[in-house]
Amino acid sequence: MRNDGTPIDLETRLRTMNRVLDRLVPESPDPTLEETVETALAAIGRRELSNAMMLFEQGVQANPFWLRVYLLLATIYDHAQKTELAIATLQQGLVMCASGFRLFSAQGWGETLERINGPVAHRRIRNHLNRLRQYERMFRYRLAMLQIRCGSFDEAITQWSAMEEEPCT
């Protein structure tokens, strides 16, 4: 994300992204995950990009459904001019979104939701599905922008058109 007008240093960009994601797609607080993000951001502040990348890579290996880190890691790769790794990371995030949708479909949450009489349960299930949909749109948008920059216009068009369709259920 280098040619966006006013330059923003990577640490500020990632901290801002993390705060925005807290608002858009809030996750259950997990002290270990939060500590990993803070440690990685501190490493970026010290200009230790490889250490930050390693921490985030270990994070998604430990919890592949930690979708936020795919966006943060892709941003670091993009900043380090490792566009192919950024694209691969975003594609992996999309795969995990699709896996999350399949888990809900396989478990019959749609039918179960209709039988549950609790508004809290309804809200939690719907919130999780909405969270997956929002992440899917973010991954597709970032992926399309990177593909355009790389000259992969057909792939970018595929991502744009997929954003207009139903989520990958």
Side-chain angles (χ1 to χ4, degrees):
M1 311 232 21
R2 294 172 295 283
N3 298 320
D4 298 357
T6 306
I8 300 172
D9 69 281
L10 182 60
E11 182 182 12
T12 302
R13 181 180 300 275
L14 292 172
R15 283 191 187 283
T16 303
M17 283 176 64
N18 198 42
R19 281 195 306 271
V20 168
L21 289 170
D22 280 341
R23 299 269 192 220
L24 292 177
V25 283
E27 297 178 13
S28 301
D30 183 335
T32 306
L33 300 180
E34 291 171 11
E35 182 181 329
T36 300
V37 169
E38 281 306 312
T39 304
L41 293 176
I44 289 168
R46 295 187 306 272
R47 306 280 187 244
E48 299 171 0
L49 291 184
S50 59
N51 188 23
M53 286 184 237
M54 180 192 67
L55 286 167
F56 282 148
E57 288 165 355
Q58 289 172 348
V60 294
Q61 286 174 358
N63 180 358
F65 287 100
W66 192 20
L67 300 175
R68 168 182 311 221
V69 174
Y70 293 101
L71 287 170
L72 298 175
L73 186 56
T75 302
I76 296 170
Y77 285 145
D78 185 32
H79 180 80
Q81 298 181 355
K82 298 180 178 184
T83 308
E84 293 304 317
L85 283 173
I87 289 172
T89 300
L90 293 169
Q91 289 172 333
Q92 184 59 37
L94 275 174
V95 167
M96 296 317 298
C97 282
S99 294
F101 286 126
R102 278 193 302 275
L103 282 173
F104 269 89
S105 298
Q107 294 173 357
W109 282 107
E111 298 82 36
T112 304
L113 186 58
E114 299 306 320
R115 292 191 304 252
I116 296 174
N117 285 332
V120 173
H122 282 251
R123 203 169 31 251
R124 284 186 182 158
I125 293 168
R126 285 200 178 102
N127 285 347
H128 186 68
L129 288 171
N130 287 336
R131 192 172 143 273
L132 287 172
R133 285 186 189 104
Q134 288 175 315
Y135 269 115
E136 180 189 25
R137 287 188 60 80
M138 286 185 272
F139 289 139
R140 288 193 186 284
Y141 175 80
R142 288 288 312 278
L143 191 52
M145 297 308 290
L146 286 171
Q147 289 168 330
I148 288 170
R149 193 169 353 131
C150 291
S152 303
F153 299 112
D154 290 340
E155 291 86 350
I157 289 170
T158 301
Q159 295 306 322
W160 281 112
S161 59
M163 282 190 282
E164 301 302 319
E165 297 172 4
E166 289 296 312
C168 45
T169 52

